[in-house]
Amino acid sequence: MIIIHASIRIQPAKSAEFLQEVESLLAASRAEEGNISYDLYQEAGKEHSYLMVEVWKGPEAVDFHNKSSHFQAFVAKARELLAEPLGLNVFNGEQMKTAGQ
């Protein structure tokens, strides 16, 4: 399982446009076969800062996603909206057993 945290800081004047653009990315990414979850969170106390948390079945799923037309279109548009370069952290994880399993 691959977990990606993308830190996104948007230009203040572009926040509404970012939120509109990201909706189609979220929906299309969640529909991908290799996606486990794809969520956007606003950072507490930081009005124009977001964290995208993605969970994928494996590296092949990430590669497919990165080449998808919806992701490529979002990346091209995001260049106009970002206040600073994206921060990216990628983790290799595995499902942990929970109590009762």
Side-chain angles (χ1 to χ4, degrees), residues 2-95:
I2 305 296
I3 303 157
I4 300 172
H5 290 180
S7 298
I8 306 166
R9 188 157 176 263
I10 302 301
Q11 297 175 40
K14 302 283 186 166
S15 286
E17 186 177 356
F18 166 74
L19 291 172
Q20 182 179 348
E21 292 290 331
V22 81
E23 282 300 318
S24 60
L25 173 67
L26 292 168
S29 299
R30 289 173 179 156
E32 290 180 40
E33 184 177 329
N35 182 258
I36 296 171
S37 65
Y38 203 95
D39 298 299
L40 180 69
Y41 300 94
Q42 185 172 7
E43 291 193 43
K46 296 181 180 181
E47 190 175 349
H48 306 290
S49 295
Y50 299 87
L51 180 66
M52 183 79 73
V53 179
E54 310 170 27
V55 182
W56 300 94
K57 291 181 180 176
E60 299 83 9
V62 174
D63 188 51
F64 178 85
H65 170 68
N66 289 342
K67 292 176 182 174
S68 69
S69 59
H70 56 270
F71 181 74
Q72 291 296 317
F74 179 78
V75 168
K77 183 66 176 177
R79 290 185 184 116
E80 303 169 16
L81 308 175
L82 295 176
E84 61 188 45
L86 216 67
L88 199 62
N89 290 300
V90 181
F91 307 93
N92 188 8
E94 60 184 63
Q95 180 93 23

